[in-house]
Amino acid sequence: MARRPGAPAAYGEEFSFVSPLVKYLLFFFNMLFWVRLGEAALACLAVDPAILLIVVGVLMFLLTFCGCIGSLRENICLLQTFSLCLTIVFLLQLAAGILGFVFSDKARGKVSELINNAIVHYRDDLDLQNLIDFGQKKFSCCGGISYRDWSQNMYFNCSEDNPSRERCSVPYSCCLPTPNQAVINTMCGQGMQALDYLEASKIIYTNGCIDKLVNWIHSNLFLLGGVALGLAIPQLVGILLSQVLVNQIKDQIKLQLYNQQHRADPWY
């Protein structure tokens, strides 16, 4: 059938503006984004880790649900929701990074708050416990300011009415390493808080972790910035892919409407 002179060229019925490559790249990006929950590890120190992981898990599920279903079903509303949420997350991370760099001198207060909260919740979560033990062994430290900070924990508290068998003790990760030790002595910190500084320093680390961690942060600001950039790049890729797919879907809708309007046109 002849086409009316001056009418725009028509695409075939099977033609689609939506690229399968963009569509499935965005889907697999969301699958990878779903399993990446490691960023919550540091924040776990400030609140109950179990509650935080539940909240983060729900938010991640909703976000990746919008991205996965939106890309597979070519749903503009879900894709725009995904893109908007990812943009907000990226901007919040960017703002936090800038504020952290500008106010790096105030990092000690935040680190102190995190470590003190971690001490209080030490026995509440196994993952948090392992993280603290790793940190104390890594930085050769014990507690926040000193080893006696462990008295903030209900199990290690030195009060007379504390029935815990760990009363006035410190975790085994505070203990000085013993050469050629085949089996870790998890009771090596028993009663250490009752000893004075000089006596305790023969068995455990007596200096706190706050100053050591703050010094490490100051010494590795560029490294931390690089890690943050590495985490931000996938988010930018997700935002870009979702916007490209939205534009392609909109073009496809326009094409379908155009074909429907001109299907009955004898000159089309």
Side-chain angles (χ1 to χ4, degrees):
M1 186 175 292
R3 182 169 61 90
R4 178 169 42 194
Y11 293 96
E13 293 292 333
E14 297 181 357
F15 176 82
S16 176
F17 280 106
V18 179
S19 169
L21 177 62
V22 175
K23 180 176 177 178
Y24 291 109
L25 270 178
L26 183 58
F27 174 78
F28 286 115
F29 166 82
N30 278 277
M31 296 300 294
L32 292 175
F33 195 69
W34 164 248
V35 299
R36 200 191 72 186
L37 292 173
E39 295 177 61
L42 182 60
C44 287
L45 300 176
V47 296
D48 187 334
I51 295 177
L52 182 70
L53 287 177
I54 291 173
V55 172
V56 171
V58 170
L59 292 177
M60 290 287 288
F61 171 78
L62 293 176
L63 181 59
T64 53
F65 174 83
C66 290
C68 287
I69 303 302
S71 60
L72 291 178
R73 302 296 298 175
E74 300 178 11
N75 187 297
I76 292 179
C77 181
L78 289 178
L79 287 172
Q80 287 181 331
T81 301
F82 169 76
S83 179
L84 176 62
C85 292
L86 209 56
T87 301
I88 292 174
V89 171
F90 171 76
L91 291 176
L92 289 175
Q93 290 178 337
L94 180 63
I98 293 174
L99 291 175
F101 187 82
V102 173
F103 300 104
S104 59
D105 56 326
K106 296 184 179 180
R108 192 179 191 282
K110 185 60 177 177
V111 171
S112 178
E113 178 186 344
L114 291 173
I115 291 179
N116 287 332
N117 277 302
I119 290 174
V120 171
H121 295 288
Y122 177 75
R123 290 296 190 202
D124 297 347
D125 183 84
L126 183 60
D127 293 329
L128 176 62
Q129 181 176 314
N130 291 334
L131 181 62
I132 296 172
D133 287 335
F134 170 80
Q136 291 193 142
K137 288 187 287 187
K138 173 71 175 178
F139 294 104
S140 302
C141 58
C142 185
I145 297 176
S146 76
Y147 63 102
R148 288 201 171 100
D149 289 337
W150 279 102
S151 195
Q152 299 177 53
N153 185 281
M154 61 182 297
Y155 297 99
F156 298 107
N157 189 275
C158 286
S159 59
E160 294 293 338
D161 58 348
N162 183 8
S164 172
R165 63 187 178 90
E166 295 179 308
R167 175 182 170 274
C168 230
S169 301
V170 295
Y172 79 93
S173 54
C174 288
C175 297
L176 297 173
T178 303
N180 302 322
Q181 186 179 32
V183 179
I184 296 176
N185 179 13
T186 57
M187 302 300 293
C188 59
Q190 194 74 24
M192 288 296 107
Q193 292 187 63
L195 302 180
D196 61 33
Y197 183 87
L198 288 177
E199 291 179 331
S201 63
K202 299 176 182 178
I203 305 173
I204 63 171
Y205 301 116
T206 51
N207 293 326
C209 299
I210 292 176
D211 287 332
K212 291 196 174 185
L213 187 54
V214 169
N215 291 336
W216 182 87
I217 292 174
H218 285 161
S219 302
N220 294 275
L221 280 178
F222 289 106
L223 173 62
L224 295 174
V227 172
L229 180 62
L231 295 174
I233 289 176
Q235 295 175 352
L236 293 174
V237 171
I239 295 170
L240 177 63
L241 287 175
S242 60
Q243 288 303 312
V244 169
L245 188 55
V246 165
N247 290 332
Q248 289 179 347
I249 295 171
K250 288 181 177 179
D251 289 338
Q252 182 65 21
I253 292 174
K254 291 178 182 178
L255 175 62
Q256 291 174 347
L257 292 175
Y258 179 85
N259 288 338
Q260 289 176 0
Q261 292 172 357
H262 296 80
R263 190 166 290 142
D265 190 341
W267 291 97
Y268 178 65

